[in-house]
């Protein structure tokens, strides 16, 4: 016995072409998004430097007067040349003498000397080639037992911190970054036995933090790192 619904045509199937176009669009988006974001960030950074440097140059010496157009990136080139020139002068005897004289004047100013000393320490830590960088990536239990966080081992604790820490072993200073901005975080001190060192590189650990756990280090690189450590 046939029902009234037996004579109805089957529901139309969605064409597969739309699915293929959707997959191609998503693949193209994955390829374009990192490139576009990188170009946009670089373009914005160059414009920011130009907007800071070019107004400091007198009008008669503006590059636009000679080039005829407002060429983006000229301020960056001027800043690089100026920075190299200042560094070259600072390495000489006269430059060091001028820097010491200027710092002696700054140290006499109550508020300015605090700001200057803090900014100088940060700049020396970040930019100076002689400073030590992070030693290794690690795992620590933070903010409580049973919860693990990625950290970066900086140095062994010294001085008053090492003396007053209530532990029988060495104390390590560990920087625990935040996601997705690894430049901010917490400086924590752990006993050495509570710090688990990882075989992944600092760069791979940073990628893992920035991507919120989505980008894991390549397994082949981990094996190569393990072999090198074994040799």
């Amino acid at each position: 016995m046939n029902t009234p619904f037996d004579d109805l045509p089957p529901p139309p199937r969605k064409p597969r072409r739309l699915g293929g176009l959707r997959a191609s669009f998503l693949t193209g988006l994955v390829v374009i998004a990192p490139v576009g974001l990188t170009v946009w960030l670089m373009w914005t950074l160059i414009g920011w430097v130009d907007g800071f440097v070019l107004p400091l140059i007198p009008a008669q010496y503006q590059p636009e007067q000679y080039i005829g157009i407002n060429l983006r990136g000229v301020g960056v080139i001027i800043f690089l040349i100026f920075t190299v020139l200042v560094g070259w002068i600072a390495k000489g005897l006269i430059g060091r003498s001028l820097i010491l004289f200027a710092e002696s004047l700054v140290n006499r100013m109550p508020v300015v000397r605090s700001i200057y000393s803090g900014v100088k320490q940060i700049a020396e830590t970040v930019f100076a080639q002689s400073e030590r960088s992070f030693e290794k990536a690690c795992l620590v239990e933070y903010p409580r037992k049973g919860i693990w966080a990625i950290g970066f081992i900086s140095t062994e604790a010294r001085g008053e911190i090492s003396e007053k820490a209530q532990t029988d072993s060495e104390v390590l200073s560990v920087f625990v970054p935040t996601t997705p901005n690894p430049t901010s975080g917490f400086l924590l001190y752990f006993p050495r036995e509570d710090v688990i060192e990882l075989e992944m590189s600092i760069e791979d650990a940073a990628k893992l933090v920035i991507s919120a756990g989505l980008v894991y280090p390549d397994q082949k690189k981990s094996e190569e790192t393990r072999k090198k450590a074994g040799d």
Side-chain angles (χ1 to χ4, degrees):
M1 180 177 180
N2 295 332
T3 63
F5 299 99
D6 293 337
D7 298 332
L8 295 177
R13 295 182 179 180
K14 294 182 179 180
R16 296 183 179 180
R17 292 182 180 180
L18 294 179
L21 290 176
R22 179 176 176 274
S24 300
F25 173 77
L26 294 177
T27 303
L29 193 63
V30 171
V31 174
I32 294 175
V35 177
L37 184 59
T38 302
V39 172
W40 178 78
L41 288 174
M42 293 300 298
W43 187 260
T44 304
L45 179 61
I46 292 173
W48 181 81
V49 175
D50 286 350
F52 178 78
V53 174
L54 293 180
L56 301 177
I57 302 175
Q60 61 270 23
Y61 298 110
Q62 287 285 344
E64 188 176 356
Q65 301 293 332
Y66 305 96
I67 301 176
I69 58 174
N70 186 10
L71 187 62
R72 203 177 188 95
V74 176
V76 177
I77 297 175
I78 296 174
F79 173 75
L80 293 176
I81 295 175
F82 176 76
T83 304
V84 172
L85 182 62
V86 170
W88 178 73
I89 295 174
K91 289 182 178 180
L93 179 61
I94 298 177
R96 289 197 299 268
S97 301
L98 292 175
I99 292 175
L100 291 176
F101 176 73
E103 288 184 345
S104 65
L105 294 178
V106 172
N107 289 332
R108 298 175 185 176
M109 305 177 185
V111 179
V112 178
R113 67 185 179 188
S114 301
I115 299 175
Y116 174 77
S117 61
V119 174
K120 182 180 178 182
Q121 290 179 0
I122 294 174
E124 288 178 348
T125 303
V126 174
F127 297 108
Q129 297 179 357
S130 59
E131 294 290 335
R132 295 179 60 187
S133 59
F134 293 122
E135 294 180 353
K136 268 192 170 185
C138 66
L139 274 179
V140 292
E141 288 188 288
Y142 179 82
R144 64 172 176 81
K145 293 289 186 180
I147 296 180
W148 296 91
I150 290 181
F152 301 101
I153 301 174
S154 54
T155 57
E156 295 180 1
R158 301 183 182 89
E160 186 177 3
I161 295 178
S162 177
E163 294 174 357
K164 293 188 177 182
Q166 298 179 359
T167 177
D168 297 331
S169 61
E170 295 177 340
V171 178
L172 298 179
S173 58
V174 178
F175 176 72
V176 178
T178 56
T179 300
N181 180 17
T183 58
S184 65
F186 306 93
L187 175 61
L188 307 173
Y189 292 93
F190 291 91
R192 179 176 288 275
E193 63 269 16
D194 292 343
V195 177
I196 301 176
E197 296 183 0
L198 299 176
E199 295 181 357
M200 68 175 67
S201 63
I202 299 293
E203 292 77 11
D204 289 337
K207 292 178 183 178
L208 187 60
V209 172
I210 294 172
S211 66
L214 297 177
V215 178
Y216 275 81
D218 189 2
Q219 188 66 27
K220 293 182 179 179
K221 291 183 179 180
S222 301
E223 292 177 358
E224 291 177 357
T225 305
R226 193 181 300 109
K227 290 180 181 179
K228 291 180 180 179
D231 295 340

